[in-house]
Amino acid sequence: MPTAPIASPLSLNPAGSSGSTVEATAFGAHVLSWRCRGHERLYLSPHASFAAGKAIRGGIPVIFPQFAERGPGPRHGFARTFEWDTVETGPERLLFRFADDETTRASWPHRFAAELSVEPAPDRLRTALTIRNRGDEAFEFTAALHTYLRVADVAGTLVHGLEDRPYLDSTRQGVHCEPDDAPVRFEAELDRIYPDVRKPLRLTDGEELLRLEAEGFSDVVVWNPGRELAAGMSDLSVGEYHRFVCVEAAAVLVPIRLEPGQAWTGAQILVVEERADA
């Protein structure tokens, strides 16, 4: 794992976890690693940048206060490129906090407080983002947990549970597409937003099975850059796009509105399961 000069990773070894470990850094409140049952479950690029002001490629980036270019600020917001405060280090939870200042208000003129809670348990990792409006006026935002899941080979990876869901295809300027009636496969660049997903998803990768659940988030984003787009990414090695898929708990299509004093929480839960046919 690359050394982060801006914030040394913090580690958790939850009780009863059979050797599971989680590593995260206060830079961006970014989860870097989750090892469970002897395998790394998150993907972190060997060429990920840990320079101040640069987003880390891999792990679980926090997307706030805007998803992609859906707002006037920097792509995917600023939360992933700021140092957060570490306020709790376990043994069962990491908790990071981040609040507005003059720098954030220059691109998004609202007063807020954010928390990211990282809660590992045996065979399970819950990551929860809380946003509170601490100003005098309502504001709206979009957000996501941009989770990079490690896979043996993207060509053999399937996402189950979206077969009956329509989606917006971001590789075609957001065109609306009807359900595919089949698991999601990764045969080229894929970038989809699935609205109003209410049930757990499952990712299969050979012998591995991962269940993905969400709380508070209404949408799911599924992404892999494919060969051509990945070739232009300086923080990915040649062929590294084969090693991950992103399945993101997100609130994209309908912004979340908070009145003064209100708070919202969205979470993603990853659970390692046994395959029924194993």
Side-chain angles (χ1 to χ4, degrees), residues 26-27 29 82-88 95-99 114 116:
F27 179 69
F82 275 74
E83 190 82 11
W84 294 45
D85 294 324
T86 304
V87 296
E88 188 175 331
L95 182 62
F96 302 101
R97 286 181 183 155
F98 174 50
L116 188 82

Side-chain angles (χ1 to χ4, degrees), residues 157-163 183-184 186 201-204 222 245 247:
T157 298
L158 300 174
V159 177
H160 307 263
L162 297 169
E163 292 85 349
V184 179
F186 300 86
L201 309 179
R202 283 175 169 81
L203 182 144
T204 56
V222 183
V245 298
V247 182

Side-chain angles (χ1 to χ4, degrees), residues 227-238:
R227 180 175 61 83
E228 293 184 8
L229 183 60
M233 296 179 174
S234 61
D235 52 3
L236 279 181
S237 300
V238 175

